[in-house]
Amino acid sequence: MTLRNALKSVITAAVILGAGLATQAKADAVDDITKAGAINVGIFSDFPPFSSASADMSIKGYDVDVAQAIADALKVKLNLVSVTGQNRIPYLTDKRVDILMSVGYSKEREQVIDFAAAYAPYYIAVIGPKAMAVKDKEDLADKSIAVNRGTLEDTSLTEAAPASTDIRRFDNYNAVIQAFISGQTQLMVVGNDVGAQVLAKQDALQPEQKFQLLTSPSHIGLNKNEDRLKKAVNDAVAKMLADGKLDESSKAWLKTPLNPDNLKD
């Protein structure tokens, strides 16, 4: 082999190697998801009405509706992966899941993961019988209200309530709900996830949301520098919002129409 041919072979090999490295560098989560034919979605398996086991033991809920829409947009199968509050961020960063549902935004989390647009309302609301007129925090004066002790609900209510409000603190949500349903208190303050369960089951009492004390919407979490996946997720959520599918899921699972203002941080 002549020196010229040897150099030509080396250059050709370098070009091929460079092209391979460039292709590898461009590969991202969307490429991996498409190649696998499935998107792995981290989800709480016992978080009604956002996600929980149904009668046939499959996981259903608001989060599942949105996750399915994202999978459909990417034209892949939806694979739900059960996670906990402790392991879900490591599951994401270790790429055991591609995205996470029901992630509240925080500056601390933003140091580790990225956030797609808000897709689910989470807020703390005052709930009471339809017949009772309560429109704002001033109307809480002289009312008895059940709340879960030491929670964000407790803090929010304590800050907002007039001095004459009778705040009755209980040690868990079941006790809060029971106090309200049994008439021990006139009102209760809970998150919309807990509130939806009460609104769905108490036809005689006709409970309704009176007003909100705090709004903090849920986002979809994903790894940093996954711009194509982030766009795909945002586009899927925007489509659900535009065509009314997100509102349908809210009515079905949260028992209330979707207020787009509740998707603002």
Side-chain angles (χ1 to χ4, degrees):
M1 180 181 292
T2 66
L3 178 59
R4 176 178 292 183
N5 288 338
L7 288 172
K8 186 176 180 180
S9 297
V10 170
I11 293 170
T12 300
V15 170
I16 293 172
L17 178 61
L21 291 174
T23 300
Q24 184 178 10
K26 290 181 180 177
D28 62 6
V30 172
D31 293 328
D32 294 339
I33 291 166
T34 302
K35 183 178 180 180
I39 182 169
N40 296 319
V41 179
I43 200 165
F44 294 124
S45 58
D46 187 18
F47 187 43
F50 292 97
S51 54
S52 61
S54 61
D56 63 3
M57 299 310 293
S58 63
I59 304 297
K60 290 184 170 62
Y62 185 100
D63 278 3
V64 181
D65 289 354
V66 177
Q68 185 64 63
I70 294 169
D72 292 344
L74 291 169
K75 299 180 180 179
V76 295
K77 177 185 176 183
L78 173 62
N79 181 32
L80 297 176
V81 179
S82 181
V83 297
T84 67
Q86 290 72 40
N87 70 22
R88 61 180 182 159
I89 300 298
Y91 267 43
L92 178 63
T93 55
D94 290 345
K95 297 188 177 181
R96 297 175 67 174
V97 297
D98 301 301
I99 60 175
L100 293 172
M101 308 302 293
S102 287
V103 184
Y105 172 82
S106 73
K107 291 183 179 180
E108 292 76 18
R109 284 175 176 164
E110 193 177 33
Q111 300 300 313
V112 182
I113 66 173
D114 198 3
F115 294 85
Y119 75 99
Y122 181 78
Y123 48 86
I124 294 170
V126 176
I127 293 179
K130 186 175 183 179
M132 181 177 291
V134 176
K135 296 181 179 180
D136 52 39
K137 62 183 182 180
E138 284 73 23
D139 291 332
L140 300 180
D142 302 318
K143 301 289 195 308
S144 58
I145 308 175
V147 70
N148 194 351
R149 188 192 319 276
T151 60
L152 186 58
E153 293 98 308
D154 188 357
T155 303
S156 300
L157 175 60
T158 301
E159 290 177 355
S164 63
T165 305
D166 179 13
I167 300 176
R168 302 184 188 178
R169 296 173 174 85
F170 297 86
D171 291 331
N172 55 65
Y173 287 113
N174 286 335
V176 170
I177 292 170
Q178 187 57 41
F180 171 62
I181 291 174
S182 66
Q184 294 179 52
T185 64
Q186 296 166 287
L187 303 165
M188 71 173 184
V189 168
V190 293
N192 61 312
D193 51 344
V194 176
Q197 300 176 62
V198 178
L199 296 176
K201 298 177 181 179
Q202 298 301 317
D203 293 334
L205 190 61
Q206 291 187 297
E208 64 179 11
Q209 295 177 7
K210 299 299 184 179
F211 67 95
Q212 297 174 21
L213 290 172
L214 178 72
T215 298
S216 179
S218 292
H219 293 256
I220 294 169
L222 65 158
N223 281 310
K224 286 185 173 295
N225 303 316
E226 295 292 354
D227 295 338
R228 288 178 63 207
L229 180 57
K230 185 174 182 176
K231 183 179 185 303
V233 169
N234 285 344
D235 287 350
V237 172
K239 184 176 184 297
M240 290 188 77
L241 190 59
D243 64 18
K245 294 295 179 61
L246 212 55
D247 182 57
E248 290 177 13
S249 290
S250 181
K251 290 175 181 175
W253 299 107
L254 307 182
K255 306 305 176 184
T256 186
L258 180 68
N259 180 354
D261 287 341
N262 290 329
L263 300 183
K264 298 176 182 178
D265 284 300

